[in-house]
Each structure stands twice: as structure tokens, then as C-alpha cells.
């Protein structure tokens, strides 16, 4: 591109390129955005200058320059108002709020997320409403009210639709996964985070890709799997380094310190925490510094350096008080009221929106009635309803359909030897493994007791056997010791393919006969 004779089109192209590169190479994105600003000044092209300033500011946030980015974003908002430009105002406000949140300035973050609601009201923007819900949930998360954080993030998930940008479809499940992690609902957390990771990879959003790997690493650590945790955290660090996200790298190095502490390696933990502290000081991330002090205290205590451990814990306590003083309950209650008012406005914004909201609520109620309360997968009723629909569609279209009936071998012995609480944990984990080993279009449910059913639309008998073997190996090879020492599990699987069956019940009966064959042939096998 000839930079000596810029045009309006060349500036727009630069801004588009900067926005694309922001998701993978932040420094290059900033350089291109600044070039777009300079060319816009030459052309007196206000729209190009404002967009260039926003793109540059977004790149700066990833490099840790939050206060600089806030100043740039505020300037872009001012110019947009002066020139009457319709720019992504909600995105700009959201970036300012996120910057203040990262700096632990929760009052100001709350102020800007409140502006997201104003934008939502002025422009009927569902995106702004979702952003506000995410942001308020994050503030509750920082104040360790994880139940309320989860409630807001689940509201954000309910508000997602095709009009909301794709990156928010990744951001929401990642936030939900982090809430569930803190509530120790680990299997559910892992499921949500994998959804977020897949969406981030699909949209090539490196920021949320790193966030998802970081959070999955924390879940694996909580599950007692430090090696798996380390693998995900190093991926997060690598993505952040290539992407230029200093805050993300610091956050994952704090987590690596936790991994080393879990292994009983305080010296290794201190090395990671020192690197995290340097990055956190560089970008002014107070919340990260708080975590660093807490883990430093643990490491020094493990080394027998009790005086230093106490000093670090005092620093942690002082910083924690500063964080908890942020954002008064009155302000949070006022925001809650605004959220409820805005929710009512959005739901009543025309008959179409009202009907869409009612349909979502109805689907949610149906989902609750069709979901197994223990495992989170479909229950018998849900399998009959959704499975019957899938069966009928495949029969009408003449497409293949296969069904797996899976039974946990010797499950009664698990309950007898380890107790029903362990049995419930086993059922939840088996359900999570089956979901992780299936496609999004596959139907997974608990058929009853320790039996599960998987419906595979578009799969013939050969492909179904491959899926069944994969699921069998997933269960057999999973480390069950983290639930209780000495526990091991296997599955027996019956496989059937739709041929002349006229109903789903007939197909299930066919698979049940093959399951019986797998049981009588020695268990831990697939039978067709």
C-alpha cells in the first residue's frame, strides 16, 4: 500500500487489518492502527481516526498499558460524540471497564459497565446488556461472591443470540466455568470451559483461548492432576507471549506457582511467583499481586521461613482489605436494580422480542425438566423426547443412525465398598467423559441407574463401534484415584444401528440385547 498517498479506502483497510491481527499479534496490530490514525489526520478522516484509536487502545491493553489505553478509549468516545459517529461504543466502554477491573478499580469498572446499560437502552443493543451482565458478575467474582457471579453470567448466557458478537459466545462460558471452579463443581466447570475454548479456537480469538487454557489448568489442578494442569497453563503462557498479553501471562505464572506448591516444590513455586510479580507490578494488576503474596506465604512456610511467610501473609491481608473496600453494597444494589429494569425493557421491546424471551424461558423450563439432576445430561424423559425427534428425522431423511447403551461394570460394588456419595461422583464423571467424547449433535443421557444412552445421528455401525471403543477407553483409562484410592471402572457397551426398526424403543431393545452379550462375554467390551 502506498502510504505517501493514502485514501479513505486505504485507511479502512488498515483498520480492518489491525482488528484482525489484534486476535493474534497485538504489537503488529498497534503499529498498523497508529498508521491508520496518521493517515486519517492527513485526510481529515474522523471516522478512520476514531476506529484507529480504538484498535490501538485495544492492543495497548494486552501489552499491560491499561491507563494509557483508558485515556485513548475516552478520547475516542469524545470524538465519536463530537462527530456524531456510530461506532462500536459498547465495545469501547467494555474495554475501559475491563481495564479498570484488571487494575482492581472496581468502582470505576462498575461505572462504565453501567454505561453499557445506557447504550443498551439508547440503541436497543443486546450486546451491551450482555457485556454489563458479564462485568457485574466479574465484580462479584472479585469480591468472592461466586454464587451471585454465576447467576449474572448465566443470565448473560440466556441473553446470547445471533446479534451478539461471536467473541462474547466464548467469553460467557469461560466466565461461567471460572465461577463453577470456585464453587467446586469441577466437572461442570470443565464442560463450560471446553465450550469456551472451542468457540475461541473457532473465532481465532487468542485472548480467550489463553483464558480458557488457564482456567482448564486450574480445574485439572483442583482435580489432583498437576501434570495436566501444567500442560494447559504452559499453553496459556505460550499463547499470551505470542499474542502479547502480559496480564494473562502473569495470571498463568501465578497458577504455575500453585502447581509447584501442590507438588511440594516451594522453590519452583517461588521462581514462577517472582516472574508473575514482576509482570503484575509492570502492569499495575493489584489483584494478581494479592494472589502472589498469598502463595509466597505458603511457599515460605513450606521452606520453614516462618517470619517471611508471616510478612507475605500480612501484605496479602492488607491488599485483600483494599480490594474488599472497593464498591459499596449500595452501589451494587443500585446496579442490580438497573439490571432488572433493563431486563424488563429488553423483554418488552416489541412483540417479537417478548415472544423470543418467552420461548427462551419455555425452552429453559423444558431443559430443566429433561435434565438429570445428578449428572447434568438428559434424563429418561429428555432422551425420549429429543431421541424420538432425532430418530424420526433420520428415518424420514433416510440417514444413518446408531445407538449405544452403556453400563458401568460392577457399579453395585462401588456403592457397597465406597458408599453412595462416591457412587454419585462416579456417575457425574462418567457422564462428563461421555459428553467430552461425543460430538455436539450427539445425544447423551442417563437411561437409568448406572446405564447411559448415546444416540449418534449420521453414524453407521462401523463409525458407532469406533465411538463406543473411544468412550470405553476414556472411562477405563481415566484416573479414578482422585475420587477415591483404589477405584477402577470399566464400561460394557451394546451397539445397534437403525435398520428396520419403526420406533426408538425397538432400537434401544436391540442395543440392550447386545449390551447383555457384552456383559456375559466378560464385560469391559463393545458388542454389536
Amino acid at each position: 500500500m502506498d502510504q505517501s498517498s493514502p485514501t479513505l479506502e486505504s485507511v479502512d483497510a488498515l483498520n480492518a487489518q489491525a482488528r484482525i491481527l489484534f486476535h493474534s499479534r497485538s504489537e503488529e496490530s498497534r503499529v498498523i492502527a497508529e498508521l491508520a490514525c496518521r493517515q486519517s489526520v492527513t485526510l481529515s478522516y474522523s471516522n478512520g481516526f476514531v476506529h484507529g484509536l480504538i484498535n490501538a487502545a485495544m492492543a495497548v491493553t494486552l501489552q499491560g498499558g491499561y491507563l494509557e489505553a483508558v485515556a485513548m478509549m475516552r478520547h475516542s468516545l469524545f470524538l465519536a460524540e463530537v462527530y456524531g459517529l456510530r461506532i462500536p461504543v459498547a465495545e469501547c466502554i467494555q474495554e475501559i471497564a475491563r481495564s479498570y477491573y484488571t487494575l482492581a478499580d472496581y468502582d470505576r469498572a462498575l461505572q462504565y459497565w453501567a454505561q453499557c446499560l445506557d447504550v443498551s437502552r439508547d440503541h436497543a443493543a443486546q450486546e451491551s446488556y450482555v457485556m454489563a451482565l458479564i462485568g457485574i458478575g466479574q465484580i462479584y467474582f472479585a469480591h468472592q461472591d461466586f454464587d451471585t457471579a454465576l447467576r449474572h453470567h448465566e443470565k448473560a448466557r440466556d441473553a446470547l443470540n445471533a446479534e451478539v458478537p461471536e467473541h462474547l459466545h466464548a467469553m460467557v462460558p469461560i466466565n461461567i466455568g471460572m465461577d463453577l471452579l470456585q464453587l467446586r463443581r469441577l466437572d461442570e466447570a470443565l464442560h463450560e470451559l471446553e465450550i469456551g475454548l472451542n468457540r475461541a479456537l473457532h473465532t481465532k480469538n487468542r485472548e480467550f483461548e489463553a483464558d480458557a487454557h488457564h482456567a482448564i489448568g486450574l480445574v485439572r489442578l483442583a482435580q489432583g492432576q498437576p501434570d495436566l494442569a501444567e500442560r494447559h497453563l504452559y499453553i496459556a503462557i505460550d499463547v499470551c507471549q505470542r499474542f502479547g498479553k502480559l496480564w494473562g501471562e502473569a495470571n498463568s505464572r501465578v497458577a504455575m506457582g500453585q502447581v509447584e506448591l501442590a507438588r511440594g516444590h516451594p522453590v519452583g513455586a517461588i521462581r514462577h511467583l517472582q516472574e508473575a510479580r514482576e509482570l503484575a507490578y509492570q502492569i499495575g494488576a493489584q489483584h494478581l499481586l494479592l494472589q502472589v503474596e498469598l502463595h509466597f506465604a505458603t511457599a515460605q512456610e513450606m521452606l520453614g521461613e516462618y517470619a517471611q511467610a508471616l510478612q507475605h501473609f500480612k501484605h496479602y491481608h492488607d491488599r485483600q482489605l483494599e480490594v474488599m473496600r472497593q464498591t459499596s453494597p449500595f452501589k451494587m444494589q443500585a446496579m442490580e436494580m438497573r439490571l432488572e429494569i433493563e431486563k424488563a425493557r429488553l423483554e418488552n421491546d416489541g412483540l417479537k422480542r417478548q415472544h423470543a424471551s418467552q420461548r427462551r424461558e419455555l425452552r429453559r423450563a423444558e431443559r430443566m425438566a429433561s435434565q438429570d439432576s445428578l449428572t447434568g445430561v438428559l434424563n429418561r424423559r429428555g432422551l425420549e423426547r429429543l431421541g424420538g425427534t432425532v430418530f424420526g428425522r433420520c428415518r424420514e431423511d433416510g440417514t444413518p443412525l446408531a445407538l449405544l447403551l452403556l453400563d458401568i461394570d460392577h457399579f453395585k460394588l462401588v456403592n457397597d465398598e465406597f458408599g453412595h456419595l462416591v457412587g454419585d461422583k462416579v456417575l457425574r464423571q462418567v457422564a462428563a467423559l461421555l459428553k467430552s467424547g461425543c460430538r455436539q449433535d450427539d445425544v447423551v443421557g442417563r437411561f437409568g441407574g448406572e446405564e447411559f444412552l448415546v444416540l449418534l445421528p449420521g453414524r453407521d455401525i462401523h463409525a458407532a463401534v469406533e465411538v463406543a471403543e473411544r468412550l470405553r477407553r476414556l472411562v477405563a483409562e481415566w484416573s479414578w484415584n482422585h475420587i477415591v484410592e483404589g477405584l477402577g471402572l470399566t464400561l460394557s457397551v451394546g451397539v445397534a444401528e437403525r435398520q428396520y426398526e419403526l420406533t426408538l424403543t425397538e432400537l434401544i431393545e436391540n442395543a440392550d440385547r447386545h449390551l447383555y452379550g457384552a456383559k456375559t462375554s466378560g464385560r469391559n467390551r463393545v458388542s454389536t
Side-chain angles (χ1 to χ4, degrees):
M1 186 177 296
D2 184 4
Q3 298 179 8
S4 61
S5 55
T7 63
L8 302 186
E9 290 76 15
S10 70
V11 171
D12 290 341
L14 285 172
N15 276 323
Q17 186 182 6
R19 180 55 61 95
I20 292 171
L21 289 175
F22 165 75
H23 294 299
S24 57
R25 299 194 295 275
S26 60
E27 180 57 38
E28 189 173 344
S29 173
R30 178 180 182 176
V31 170
I32 293 172
E34 289 173 346
L35 175 60
C37 288
R38 291 195 296 272
Q39 291 191 359
S40 297
V41 170
T42 302
L43 296 167
S44 298
Y45 182 28
S46 55
N47 187 59
F49 182 82
V50 170
H51 277 86
L53 195 58
I54 291 174
N55 290 333
M58 290 175 66
V60 169
T61 60
L62 293 173
Q63 297 162 5
Y66 294 102
L67 293 178
E68 178 187 358
V70 165
M72 295 166 71
M73 287 286 186
R74 282 177 170 171
H75 187 46
S76 67
L77 283 174
F78 170 75
L79 291 176
E81 184 176 351
V82 169
Y83 296 127
L85 302 175
R86 295 184 60 83
I87 62 169
V89 174
E91 182 179 43
C92 192
I93 295 171
Q94 168 74 352
E95 290 301 320
I96 295 174
R98 286 179 66 192
S99 295
Y100 279 130
Y101 175 81
T102 302
L103 295 169
D105 191 342
Y106 300 127
D107 275 335
R108 289 187 180 178
L110 186 64
Q111 171 191 338
Y112 278 93
W113 272 314
Q115 287 189 31
C116 281
L117 291 181
D118 295 335
V119 172
S120 173
R121 181 171 56 256
D122 294 342
H123 301 291
Q126 187 78 358
E127 172 188 356
S128 305
Y129 181 62
V130 172
M131 286 178 173
L133 285 168
I134 294 171
I136 305 309
Q138 287 175 339
I139 290 178
Y140 276 113
F141 185 96
H143 287 73
Q144 300 183 11
D145 186 350
F146 304 118
D147 284 305
T148 308
L150 176 61
R151 188 173 76 245
H152 283 81
H153 292 146
E154 286 178 335
K155 286 182 181 178
R157 179 174 60 191
D158 293 340
L160 291 174
N161 58 31
E163 299 174 6
V164 176
E166 287 186 338
H167 71 276
L168 291 181
H169 287 264
M171 188 178 185
V172 168
I174 291 172
N175 276 275
I176 290 175
M178 287 297 295
D179 300 334
L180 292 169
L181 166 61
Q182 295 299 327
L183 294 169
R184 308 303 292 178
R185 293 161 60 179
L186 302 182
D187 295 337
E188 297 172 73
L190 189 60
H191 176 68
E192 292 291 341
L193 292 169
E194 287 173 345
I195 291 174
L197 176 59
N198 288 334
R199 289 175 179 171
L201 291 171
H202 175 71
T203 57
K204 298 181 180 178
N205 190 308
R206 301 306 178 205
E207 179 181 8
F208 294 145
E209 177 188 347
D211 289 345
H213 276 295
H214 169 87
I216 291 172
L218 292 178
V219 173
R220 292 304 189 187
L221 180 59
Q223 290 176 331
Q225 302 176 69
D227 291 342
L228 269 178
E230 181 181 61
R231 189 182 311 165
H232 282 284
L233 290 170
Y234 270 130
I235 292 174
I237 290 171
D238 179 65
V239 172
C240 288
Q241 287 177 336
R242 288 187 286 111
F243 182 33
K245 185 181 180 183
L246 296 184
W247 187 93
E249 181 184 351
N251 196 25
S252 291
R253 290 202 179 278
V254 172
M256 279 301 305
Q258 293 177 257
V259 170
E260 291 301 305
L261 290 174
R263 288 170 169 164
H265 300 159
V267 175
I270 288 173
R271 176 173 56 82
H272 284 293
L273 293 171
Q274 286 173 335
E275 293 177 356
R277 182 168 59 184
E278 291 176 6
L279 289 170
Y281 270 125
Q282 182 178 340
I283 60 181
Q286 295 298 317
H287 192 70
L288 284 182
L289 290 171
L290 185 152
Q291 294 181 55
V292 167
E293 293 293 349
L294 178 62
H295 299 312
F296 260 133
T298 303
Q300 295 293 352
E301 184 178 10
M302 292 173 68
L303 290 170
E305 301 290 345
Y306 299 111
Q308 293 186 41
L310 180 59
Q311 191 67 26
H312 283 296
F313 188 77
K314 286 181 177 178
H315 290 161
Y316 162 76
H317 180 70
D318 292 341
R319 291 182 186 276
Q320 178 75 350
L321 287 177
E322 291 177 9
V323 168
M324 298 310 288
R325 289 192 192 104
Q326 285 280 342
T327 313
S328 68
F330 174 78
K331 290 182 180 178
M332 296 303 294
Q333 290 169 5
M335 176 56 72
E336 291 279 2
M337 186 178 296
R338 292 185 67 177
L339 281 169
E340 291 304 317
I341 292 171
E342 185 59 21
K343 178 183 178 183
R345 188 199 66 77
L346 287 170
E347 289 177 347
N348 291 282
D349 186 16
L351 188 61
K352 181 178 180 180
R353 286 184 180 273
Q354 184 180 21
H355 286 173
S357 175
Q358 291 172 348
R359 286 195 298 271
R360 284 197 300 273
E361 290 300 320
L362 180 60
R363 285 197 297 270
R364 183 179 180 183
E366 291 174 346
R367 203 163 54 239
M368 292 292 290
S370 301
Q371 189 177 63
D372 180 54
S373 59
L374 177 64
T375 62
V377 297
L378 292 176
N379 58 18
R380 187 74 170 261
R381 176 184 177 183
L383 285 170
E384 289 172 353
R385 297 184 65 177
L386 181 57
T389 300
V390 172
F391 182 93
R393 186 167 60 243
C394 290
R395 184 182 57 194
E396 292 173 5
D397 297 343
T399 54
L401 175 69
L403 185 145
L404 313 181
L405 202 57
L406 311 96
D407 185 82
I408 302 174
D409 296 327
H410 303 297
F411 182 72
K412 185 177 183 300
L413 294 180
V414 174
N415 282 330
D416 292 343
E417 184 174 351
F418 301 107
H420 288 280
L421 290 179
V422 170
D424 289 348
K425 290 181 180 180
V426 165
L427 290 171
R428 284 194 292 267
Q429 184 59 48
V430 168
L433 290 171
L434 296 182
K435 287 286 288 184
S436 67
C438 291
R439 302 171 307 180
Q440 187 173 358
D441 293 338
D442 297 336
V443 178
V444 180
R446 186 182 176 193
F447 193 61
E450 66 270 23
E451 282 191 340
F452 292 84
L453 185 150
V454 177
L455 208 56
L456 303 170
R459 308 270 189 127
D460 60 17
I461 190 69
H462 302 292
V465 168
E466 291 180 4
V467 174
E469 283 289 351
R470 180 170 70 246
L471 297 178
R472 184 191 63 80
R473 288 195 302 272
L474 273 174
V475 171
E477 296 171 4
W478 199 75
S479 176
W480 295 98
N481 284 331
H482 88 278
I483 291 181
V484 64
E485 192 68 30
L487 178 63
L489 285 178
T490 58
L491 289 180
S492 296
V493 189
V495 185
E497 180 184 24
R498 186 189 66 80
Q499 294 179 333
Y500 305 108
E501 293 87 353
L502 297 178
T503 66
L504 176 62
T505 300
E506 292 174 340
L507 184 60
I508 294 172
E509 290 172 350
N510 193 5
D512 190 45
R513 286 192 292 271
H514 293 303
L515 174 61
Y516 178 77
K519 289 283 191 183
T520 56
S521 299
R523 295 183 170 83
N524 191 23
R525 63 192 62 215
V526 174
S527 176
T528 61

